[in-house]
Amino acid sequence: MKLPLSWLKDYTDIDGISLKEYAAALTMSGSKVEGIENLGAEIDNVVTGEILSVEKHPDSDHLVICQLNVGQQEPVQIVTGAPNITPDSVGQICPVALHKSTLPGGVKITKGKLRGVASNGMMCSFQELGIDHGCVPYACDNGILILPKGTPVGAKIQDVLGLNEDVVEFEITSNRPDCLSIIGLARETAATFDRPFSIKEPQVKGCGEDIKNYVSVEVKEPELCPRYTAKIVKNIKIEPSPAWMRERLYAAGVRPINNIVDITNYVMLEYGQPMHAFDYACLSDGKIVVRRPAAGEAIQTLDGQDRAITDEMLAICDGTKPVAVAGVMGGANSEITDTTKTVVFESACFHGATVRVTAKALGMRTEASGRFEKGLDPSLTMPALLRACELVEELGAGEVIDGVIDVCAADLAPKQLPFEPDKMNDLLGISLTAEQQIDYLKRLEFEVKDGMVLVPGFRVDIARMCDLAEEIARMYGYDNIPTTLYAGEMVQGEYTPKQQMERNASTVCRMAGFDEAMSHSFISPKFYDAINLPADDVRRISTTILNPLGEDFSIMRTTVLPSMLDNLAHNHAHRNPSACLFELGTIYTPEIQDGKANPDVLPHEEKILTLGTYGCMDFFQFKGVIEALCRELNIQNVAFVPEKNNPSYHPGRCAAVYAGEARLGVFGAVHPLVSKKYGMNGEVLAAELTMDALFAAMDNTKLYQPLPKFPASTRDIAVLCDNEIPVASLEQTIRKAAGNLLENVTLFDVYKGDQIPAGKKSVAYSMSLRAADRTLTDEECDKAMKKAIAALENEFGATLRG
């Protein structure tokens, strides 16, 4: 928001305050100053000059020699080729850049010669002065800027064109729409420096007649348009605005157009209330209807674009058609033109969220929509409307019809909050009296009455006690609040048990040679095809993102596996011979309703530890990483069960991981068809382990075991069994049967060959037996061995290999 300081002075006094002091104080009180500029700072030594004579150049057909009075003792001679400077130009006044002058953009002007004739400066066009044509509507597009009659001679051009204006630019936060106005910033200025602030109430004389004979207004969506006010002006005269209005608009960053459009822009900048003007002749039946668009309706907006509007938007319509998109832009079918005779001025309040959705959907964010979407005060519409009509009469732009249309469904009563000075002191860490707090609040136009704070309507951001405390704090001065220690006992932060488990799991993965990867939680639906998920797999039912970055990021993932494989494929494509990656990623499992994700319920979030590798290790080494992870997390009774029906993994090289009866996850070789889809050859290994299951299976009790005092006895056993019997099942049977003397059992050989019958395999184990209080005898060891062999024969039909 750009604030011309001359405009600010209409409402409060800033005499004696330097620009540096002003910027620092407003920033500290909550209105951040982005920068300060002087509009004519780049212009130097440019004055107004009267053309005394114009003579033809002796050596050029298009150049002329001019003598100009610039307020000095002697005339200044300048040679120019501007087409609008002729002998008839004598007596006209124009800008003159004298010797050693500067123009915008760093252009330097010095004296010289043109075709042998001395030229001691340059006569300037409005483009060379860096101003817009709207600021000088009387200027020709291609030629020297001829100033109005009566312009003083020898005056600085900054003073003549209003370019000596200091402008302060503010960064206005989204919660302070009231500060997107001259009045709002003037109010903040007055409160910051504790100076008087006043707003002159608009005075409209009127010309008689009754507005009800011209127009009627119906608001069919009061929740989207809580207030709609309108007035009518007849006998409109479309012409340029006066210089003072053009200069203020230009300084505030708005291009002047004509008096009617400039009035609506002027009021929007002054009050912060967007306005619109309709050509009354374009409104059929003299009706204005505020409603949602019907199916298939469209409108051509003022920018000349045809736009389809939907029932999620709000339109301003006449008896038959839309004439404006509410809060965004007017329609070309009701635009003010040079033939307009009667105008309807609209000042309304629209629902901010609806305006934002509309502006985004149509791709046309405007000054008006930027204000409406932040939330405006409905009580602001009437004074802004009256101010516009006052300016119409002041500029002689038309005659204002008596009466006003005011359709109001808004509650204009001020919001009330309890006045709690002690709580605010405790919150802020200061000691102000109730009277001091009331004084600060009154500066900002809050009223304290009967123990309640009456919040002014324009402060839509005030909702609770802490908001009031913030107002007091910024008026008191943030830099005046003393630095204090925290009250109460300081508690040192620490990781939760689950967080510590995650850190430990990550450490184990790094020690095993895996690097941590991170990927987006949103993926493409095509990822599920890449890992061979069946069409009816429940994991395909995902939470859909309402406003995705694109199809590749349109759903929340229900598995991390495709993201891991995508990262491995990226490394493989860049010719990395091997890669070991792990990720602690989150999956999002939706609540399923009628075969779809229920959009009204947030999905269940769960962390999955996913590992992936190629070119580094084989299946059994990878299994060792899973075993090491479980061992370091102190997870007991870990077992691996073959899993043949997982579509993403090789049916013969995949296993589910269990801790007792609890399933921890799955690991194995990725199915060759899946690897091929990702462009990878050779064996790719992956694992998916559920962190909640790992955490639940952890045994936090760790027992100390002293080093054994007695030696162990080792026995080897080799049995023949059917090929289908898992060696892990054999091992579990040995552990149960051998009893307490068995310290460890290790598989060291699996053999199939000529000496082994068809359909059979030889499995060999090394058994370590030990007692804590004695050295075992051969009889004790043989007894444990016989129990193990008998159990294997009974359960699996395994026989001792000779």
Side-chain angles (χ1 to χ4, degrees):
M1 176 70 189
K2 292 185 176 182
L3 174 66
L5 292 188
S6 64
W7 202 345
L8 171 71
K9 293 176 183 178
D10 287 354
Y11 303 98
T12 190
D13 173 28
I14 57 171
D15 291 342
I17 303 173
S18 68
L19 285 174
K20 184 177 180 180
E21 180 185 358
Y22 179 82
L26 265 292
T27 298
M28 285 302 296
S29 68
S31 303
K32 182 183 177 183
V33 174
E34 283 286 286
I36 301 174
E37 66 169 332
N38 183 280
L39 297 182
E42 291 187 295
I43 299 176
D44 183 46
N45 203 23
V46 180
V47 299
T48 57
E50 180 186 5
I51 301 174
L52 301 177
S53 65
V54 178
E55 298 178 358
K56 185 179 179 181
H57 192 288
D59 194 26
S60 174
D61 293 334
H62 70 279
L63 295 178
V64 293
I65 304 170
C66 302
Q67 302 293 328
L68 296 105
N69 172 19
V70 295
Q72 300 176 359
Q73 290 183 349
E74 298 292 333
V76 173
Q77 178 173 292
I78 293 178
V79 178
T80 181
N84 65 331
I85 301 300
T86 66
D88 294 336
S89 301
V90 172
Q92 293 179 339
I93 300 172
C94 64
V96 180
L98 301 174
H99 175 54
K100 293 185 178 180
S101 60
T102 306
L103 295 176
V107 177
K108 304 290 185 181
I109 303 299
T110 58
K111 63 183 179 180
K113 289 185 177 181
L114 291 176
R115 295 285 182 95
V117 177
S119 182
N120 297 311
M122 184 180 76
M123 301 157 72
C124 302
S125 65
F126 70 88
Q127 295 97 330
E128 289 162 334
L129 295 174
I131 59 177
D132 190 87
H133 194 194
C135 299
V136 283
Y138 46 80
C140 65
D141 291 330
N142 182 25
I144 301 301
L145 172 60
I146 303 301
L147 299 169
K149 292 182 179 180
T151 301
V153 174
K156 288 185 176 181
I157 197 64
Q158 294 97 319
D159 295 333
V160 172
L161 297 179
L163 299 176
N164 56 354
E165 178 74 74
D166 290 317
V167 179
V168 181
E169 185 170 1
F170 289 87
E171 178 186 332
I172 306 300
T173 54
S174 59
N175 66 320
R176 292 300 304 275
D178 59 300
C179 288
L180 285 170
S181 65
I182 305 299
I183 289 176
L185 291 174
R187 185 184 291 113
E188 288 293 310
T189 300
T192 300
F193 293 100
D194 195 15
R195 297 201 173 185
F197 169 76
S198 62
I199 305 174
K200 179 186 174 184
E201 185 176 347
Q203 300 295 323
V204 181
K205 298 176 183 177
C207 68
E209 299 191 63
D210 187 350
I211 191 173
K212 294 180 181 179
N213 296 328
Y214 281 80
V215 68
S216 64
V217 175
E218 180 184 5
V219 178
K220 291 187 175 182
E221 301 289 343
E223 71 280 3
L224 303 184
C225 178
R227 194 175 191 187
Y228 191 99
T229 59
K231 282 188 77 67
I232 287 185
V233 179
K234 68 177 184 178
N235 296 329
I236 288 291
K237 301 174 185 176
I238 304 295
E239 57 188 5
S241 299
W244 64 267
M245 179 174 282
R246 298 197 307 268
E247 290 168 3
R248 284 189 169 183
L249 290 173
Y250 177 71
V254 175
R255 180 172 62 91
I257 299 175
N258 60 51
N259 53 356
I260 300 301
V261 176
D262 291 352
I263 285 172
T264 60
N265 286 334
Y266 189 91
V267 173
M268 179 183 70
L269 292 173
E270 190 172 41
Y271 281 76
Q273 170 65 48
M275 294 189 63
H276 187 63
F278 300 100
D279 188 335
Y280 175 75
C282 298
L283 300 178
S284 67
D285 303 327
K287 290 182 179 180
I288 292 178
V289 182
V290 184
R291 60 172 173 83
R292 293 181 186 271
E297 280 193 308
I299 185 174
Q300 186 181 83
T301 47
L302 288 173
D303 57 2
Q305 298 293 318
D306 292 324
R307 303 181 187 276
I309 48 180
T310 70
D311 59 1
E312 294 182 352
M313 306 173 184
L314 189 67
I316 311 300
C317 308
D318 59 13
T320 59
K321 63 186 181 300
V323 293
V325 181
V328 182
M329 187 179 288
N333 56 6
S334 60
E335 182 180 6
I336 304 297
T337 65
D338 292 341
T339 62
T340 299
K341 297 301 180 184
T342 304
V343 164
V344 180
F345 277 111
E346 166 197 279
S347 179
C349 183
F350 300 113
H351 184 243
T354 300
V355 173
R356 178 171 176 79
V357 168
T358 300
K360 187 173 182 179
L362 297 179
M364 48 186 300
R365 196 167 187 269
T366 61
E367 286 285 342
S369 69
R371 285 169 166 79
F372 278 123
E373 67 188 28
K374 293 175 176 61
L376 293 182
D377 176 18
S379 63
L380 188 61
T381 61
M382 185 61 74
L385 180 65
L386 297 178
R387 174 59 169 156
C389 293
E390 181 184 49
L391 288 171
V392 167
E393 293 183 338
E394 182 179 336
L395 272 56
E399 301 174 15
V400 180
I401 301 295
D402 287 350
V404 62
I405 299 291
D406 185 5
V407 181
C408 183
D411 181 6
L412 301 181
K415 184 188 301 179
Q416 297 190 32
L417 297 173
F419 179 54
E420 301 170 303
D422 292 336
K423 283 188 177 181
M424 288 191 277
N425 277 333
D426 291 342
L427 178 63
L428 298 173
I430 57 179
S431 299
L432 294 177
T433 65
E435 289 73 20
Q436 288 175 309
Q437 294 186 22
I438 291 173
D439 180 62
Y440 286 132
L441 291 173
K442 283 184 176 179
R443 286 194 202 177
L444 296 164
E445 298 190 20
F446 292 80
E447 183 181 353
V448 180
K449 185 177 181 181
D450 299 329
M452 302 296 290
V453 179
L454 305 183
V455 181
F458 57 81
R459 291 305 303 272
V460 295
D461 58 314
I462 304 298
R464 53 185 71 87
M465 182 275 290
C466 58
D467 297 327
L468 294 174
E470 183 181 6
E471 297 303 297
I472 291 171
R474 66 190 188 92
M475 289 297 103
Y476 176 70
Y478 293 122
D479 50 343
N480 293 325
I481 297 177
T483 301
T484 57
L485 295 174
Y486 288 107
E489 183 180 352
M490 294 292 291
V491 179
Q492 183 176 357
E494 60 183 19
Y495 293 107
T496 65
K498 185 171 286 188
Q499 289 172 331
Q500 188 60 53
M501 185 270 287
E502 292 176 0
R503 288 170 59 84
N504 292 342
S506 297
T507 300
V508 173
C509 293
R510 292 189 184 95
M511 292 176 65
F514 286 74
D515 294 314
E516 186 168 8
M518 299 180 71
S519 57
H520 292 297
S521 294
F522 28 86
I523 61 173
S524 168
K526 297 177 182 178
F527 273 29
Y528 296 142
D529 297 329
I531 61 171
N532 279 358
L533 287 191
D536 58 351
D537 195 306
V538 71
R539 287 175 292 176
R540 283 184 176 269
I541 302 175
S542 306
T543 301
T544 303
I545 300 172
L546 293 178
N547 186 26
L549 298 174
E551 185 184 3
D552 290 343
F553 304 96
S554 59
I555 60 172
M556 305 301 292
R557 66 188 177 190
T558 57
T559 171
V560 186
L561 181 62
S563 301
M564 174 58 68
L565 295 178
D566 196 49
N567 288 332
L568 292 176
H570 179 79
N571 280 270
H572 187 272
H574 284 76
R575 299 185 179 180
N576 279 349
S578 62
C580 287
L581 302 176
F582 79 95
E583 178 177 358
L584 271 172
T586 304
I587 63 172
Y588 302 82
T589 306
E591 178 183 284
I592 299 175
Q593 186 178 53
D594 298 329
K596 297 181 180 180
N598 186 352
D600 299 324
V601 179
L602 291 176
H604 173 66
E605 299 184 25
E606 190 175 21
K607 278 193 175 180
I608 304 295
L609 174 61
T610 306
L611 297 92
T613 181
Y614 70 86
C616 294
M617 55 186 71
D618 61 22
F619 176 86
F620 294 103
Q621 290 172 318
F622 190 61
K623 175 175 176 284
V625 174
I626 308 300
E627 292 174 325
L629 176 67
C630 293
R631 182 174 60 251
E632 292 301 319
L633 295 180
N634 204 28
I635 297 175
Q636 307 296 328
N637 303 320
V638 177
F640 301 92
V641 178
E643 187 166 301
K644 299 183 178 181
N645 298 320
N646 193 315
S648 302
Y649 293 89
H650 192 296
R653 299 178 67 79
C654 176
V657 186
Y658 283 86
E661 299 296 326
R663 181 184 171 99
L664 304 181
V666 65
F667 82 97
V670 175
H671 199 289
L673 294 179
V674 174
S675 299
K676 186 177 181 180
K677 290 179 182 179
Y678 282 93
M680 292 185 286
N681 300 318
E683 188 173 57
V684 180
L685 301 167
E688 301 169 79
L689 303 173
T690 304
M691 295 303 292
D692 286 345
L694 292 173
F695 182 73
M698 284 176 56
D699 184 358
N700 293 320
T701 303
K702 295 186 178 181
L703 299 177
Y704 166 73
Q705 292 184 345
L707 292 174
K709 296 181 180 180
F710 298 94
S713 295
T714 304
R715 297 284 191 275
D716 292 342
I717 181 175
V719 295
L720 289 175
C721 64
D722 295 337
N723 276 333
E724 294 78 13
I725 299 175
V727 293
S729 299
L730 297 173
E731 180 181 326
Q732 290 176 357
T733 299
I734 293 173
R735 289 183 182 277
K736 290 179 182 179
N740 296 331
L741 295 181
L742 182 64
E743 184 179 62
N744 194 20
V745 57
T746 305
L747 173 73
F748 68 86
D749 183 55
V750 177
Y751 175 71
K752 299 176 185 178
D754 295 339
Q755 296 84 4
I756 305 299
K760 298 287 186 177
K761 63 183 175 182
S762 171
V763 182
Y765 292 93
S766 176
M767 297 171 59
S768 176
L769 301 118
R770 191 196 307 264
D773 56 350
R774 68 188 186 280
T775 300
L776 294 176
T777 64
D778 288 341
E779 291 78 7
E780 290 176 309
C781 294
D782 291 342
K783 184 178 181 180
M785 287 281 292
K786 290 178 180 179
K787 288 182 179 179
I789 294 170
L792 290 174
E793 184 175 359
N794 292 334
E795 290 192 28
F796 303 107
T799 59
L800 190 65
R801 184 181 175 193

